[in-house]
Amino acid sequence: MTLIETVADLRAWRKTAGHVVFVPTMGALHEGHATLVREARQLAGKDARVAASIFVNPLQFGPNEDFDRYPRTLEADMAMCEAAGADMIFAPAVREVYHPDRSIKILETSLSNVLCGASRPGHFDGVCTVVAKLFNLVQPDEAVFGKKDYQQLAIIRRLVRDLDIPVVIHGIETVREPDGLAMSSRNRYLSPQERAEAPTLRQALLAAREAWLSGVTGTSRLLSLMRAHLAEHARLGREDYITLVDQQTLQPLDIARNHSLIALAVWFGKARLIDNIELSR
């Protein structure tokens, strides 16, 4: 596996790489990321290349968020990517990605106004800007993203559509711990008691989906059911949002229907955990 740290070396690699399947990450990788790389390896087959990036993007962190303490574990991340089938890792310094006098960025004005974007202004503008830059640099034919951050996936699909970027986007199912908790780099911030309560998020989502499948369609009833479950079983959790939206537009719905999405974000101490569940028959 090749480690590339400069734009010049990346461009030289790309000239002979052929078909590329790309997995962008911010590092601090876990089994969920390894699954994305393995999925990319399957998509690539024997002949195409799998590229991953490891870059903690400062543009998507707010002033009071955890950019400085976000874990950076490059050696372990490289070993995981290589074991999962990556051919190349692009791990640039910030100065390689952003000019010090940069004055242009991408603004998202619709899908980022809800869910996580409502409480993280500018976050998805930073995501769009870095993903567009990485797509320009790596020039992948396909890219793989997880469904855990469903809003991010929807926004990247819109980015590719609206800017006519020739990359096929694949959404991969959320990878979970044995007790159902969605794998996340931020799970390491949980105290033992918080970690014991965190799987309740998944349980609340499953309960809402079962209620919907049994005929409950009113959004208020479904979300009330979830809040009651969390109040009883996640006493250390603090709700950021619990909502039901359309999977493509992310706009709130009064009635749960096929291709809806229930999404939530809950604080446990300093860790903000997100999860979601698709409603489909």
Side-chain angles (χ1 to χ4, degrees):
M1 187 183 70
T2 302
L3 172 64
I4 294 177
E5 298 179 292
T6 69
V7 169
D9 288 344
L10 175 63
R11 286 176 172 155
W13 176 88
R14 187 63 187 90
K15 288 179 180 178
T16 60
H19 191 99
V20 172
V21 185
F22 182 42
V23 184
T25 84
M26 290 210 304
L29 304 186
H30 49 69
E31 181 58 26
H33 297 101
T35 298
L36 297 182
V37 176
R38 285 193 291 268
E39 290 286 343
R41 182 75 269 162
Q42 283 195 327
L43 289 166
K46 295 181 179 180
D47 298 326
R49 302 284 188 92
V50 172
S53 62
I54 297 173
F55 179 67
V56 184
N57 175 34
L59 266 63
Q60 67 193 71
F61 287 82
N64 297 316
E65 295 184 335
D66 58 351
F67 174 74
D68 289 333
R69 67 188 182 96
Y70 192 89
R72 288 146 171 94
T73 55
L74 181 58
E75 289 188 9
D77 294 344
M78 289 179 58
M80 179 173 287
C81 286
E82 184 171 22
D87 298 297
M88 185 275 284
I89 296 289
F90 180 48
V94 172
R95 65 181 177 273
E96 280 289 320
V97 178
Y98 296 118
H99 296 284
D101 62 345
R102 64 184 183 276
S103 58
I104 294 174
K105 64 178 180 180
I106 295 174
L107 301 181
E108 204 295 317
T109 60
S110 177
L111 303 183
S112 59
N113 295 330
V114 295
L115 304 178
C116 294
S119 59
R120 303 183 72 188
H123 168 74
F124 286 109
D125 297 338
V127 170
C128 287
T129 300
V130 76
V131 170
K133 286 181 69 68
L134 289 170
F135 282 174
N136 283 334
L137 290 168
V138 178
Q139 298 179 22
D141 301 277
E142 305 174 67
V144 174
F145 294 85
K147 288 185 178 181
K148 189 193 76 167
D149 193 336
Y150 209 97
Q151 184 172 22
Q152 175 177 271
L153 176 61
I155 287 172
I156 289 168
R157 291 189 190 279
R158 183 70 61 90
L159 172 75
V160 165
R161 186 200 73 177
D162 286 1
L163 298 186
D164 297 307
I165 301 174
V167 180
V168 176
I169 304 298
H170 300 277
I172 305 303
E173 296 298 328
T174 301
V175 181
R176 301 183 179 278
E177 302 287 355
D179 59 9
L181 177 64
M183 289 188 177
S184 170
S185 301
R186 290 186 170 92
N187 290 348
R188 67 185 70 192
Y189 299 151
L190 298 171
S191 70
Q193 189 173 356
E194 289 165 349
R195 176 62 184 83
E197 291 189 1
T200 303
L201 305 186
R202 175 64 171 172
Q203 295 164 14
L205 289 165
L206 290 170
R209 185 175 66 180
E210 287 304 310
W212 176 72
L213 290 171
S214 67
V216 178
T217 59
T219 295
S220 60
R221 288 186 62 192
L222 292 170
L223 300 189
S224 293
L225 182 156
M226 292 179 61
R227 289 189 172 101
H229 188 91
L230 293 172
E232 181 177 357
H233 299 288
R235 298 177 185 271
L236 297 177
R238 176 169 55 88
E239 177 185 334
D240 184 350
Y241 66 79
I242 301 176
T243 188
L244 189 147
V245 299
D246 180 86
Q247 289 181 20
Q248 292 189 358
T249 68
L250 304 184
Q251 295 308 301
L253 300 171
D254 293 329
I255 300 295
R257 62 191 187 214
N258 206 25
H259 304 304
S260 301
L261 179 82
I262 303 177
L264 55 73
V266 175
W267 286 95
F268 283 92
K270 296 180 180 180
R272 182 176 176 276
L273 306 185
I274 61 173
D275 206 345
N276 61 76
I277 197 165
E278 294 171 309
L279 300 185
S280 59
R281 289 190 172 95

